[in-house]
Every structure is written in structure tokens, then in C-alpha cells.
Amino acid sequence: MRLPKWGLLIFNILLCVAFAYVSISSFSNGATIWWLWGLISILYGYTTITHFAKGYKEGWSSTEIVEDERTWNVRLVSCFIAFVYIMLFLSVGIVTFYMGYLSIDPVVYMVLAVITSIAVFVISQIVQFIPK
């Protein structure tokens, strides 16, 4: 898929602003995870500046390849692996909670499942992009 550089710039600006808003809102409401949203906002700010510099050098009407068949298939396989992992993780959690072997808060367990599933997704992507 090819997208114009100005479209990618607008998309990155919107995501940067959205995550900054969530970070500020979380901080003002007393949430303890506001720094994570701030970090994501800073990362999107960095990508926004990078896309702005690239678009300024190469022209705004040129296009950039965002997705092709190979990367799409790699992401699908990684999503499948992460989905199977999170389903197994949560199934084991349900059984252990039911039997009384696990004594942590269920919300903390679900957050742990999501974070480790994202880590499995990232590791799967890295392993698939290693040249053979």
C-alpha cells in the first residue's frame, strides 16, 4: 500500500496529540500509568518530526510504501501467535484462580497477560524478519 507523505504526517500528528491528551488527562485524574501514555506520545512526536523532515526533503506529493504482501503476512502470523498465547495465558489464569493457586488481583493478571502478549508479538516479528 502506498500512502502520500502528507497523509502519514497528519496521521502521526493526530496520534501524537491523542496520546498527549490521554497522558495529561490520566495525570490530572491521578492515574499512575500516565507516564506510559506520555512516552508513547513522545515516540509519535519523534516519528512526526522524522516524517516532516523526510517529506520536506523529498517533496510532499511523493508516496511511501507502508505495507506490502510480505510484511502483511508477517504481521498476520505474529498476531495469530500473540492471540494463541494470550488465550492460553488467560485460560491458565482462570483455572488457577478457580482452584485458589493464584492470589494476585485479576486486573493485574489481565494487564500482565496483555503486556506479555505484546512482547510475544514483538519477538515473533523480530524472529520472522531475521534473514535466512
Side-chain angles (χ1 to χ4, degrees):
M1 176 186 338
R2 293 182 172 266
L3 290 176
K5 291 199 174 141
W6 60 267
L8 287 173
L9 180 68
I10 290 174
F11 179 72
N12 283 332
I13 288 172
L14 289 175
L15 283 177
C16 180
V17 169
F19 282 118
Y21 173 76
V22 170
S23 175
I24 292 169
S25 176
S26 297
F27 179 74
S28 65
N29 289 334
T32 58
I33 200 157
W34 64 270
W35 59 270
L36 179 64
W37 301 116
L39 180 66
I40 294 171
S41 175
I42 290 170
L43 289 174
Y44 270 110
Y46 174 75
T47 58
T48 301
I49 292 169
T50 304
H51 278 292
F52 182 76
K54 186 187 282 186
Y56 186 73
K57 287 180 192 174
E58 299 173 1
W60 293 106
S61 61
S62 62
T63 59
E64 187 170 323
I65 296 175
V66 177
E67 196 71 45
D68 63 354
E69 186 71 29
R70 182 173 175 265
T71 58
W72 179 254
N73 290 336
V74 167
R75 285 198 181 103
L76 281 177
V77 169
S78 297
C79 282
F80 175 74
I81 292 170
F83 177 74
V84 169
Y85 173 80
I86 199 167
M87 293 305 292
L88 289 173
F89 195 92
L90 291 175
S91 298
V92 168
I94 289 171
V95 170
T96 55
F97 277 127
Y98 181 72
M99 295 182 147
Y101 295 132
L102 198 57
S103 62
I104 63 172
D105 188 27
V107 175
V108 173
Y109 190 79
M110 286 188 292
V111 168
L112 182 66
V114 169
I115 290 172
T116 56
S117 176
I118 292 170
V120 166
F121 176 81
V122 169
I123 291 169
S124 173
Q125 290 248 314
I126 291 171
V127 168
Q128 289 183 48
F129 275 117
I130 294 176
K132 295 172 174 114

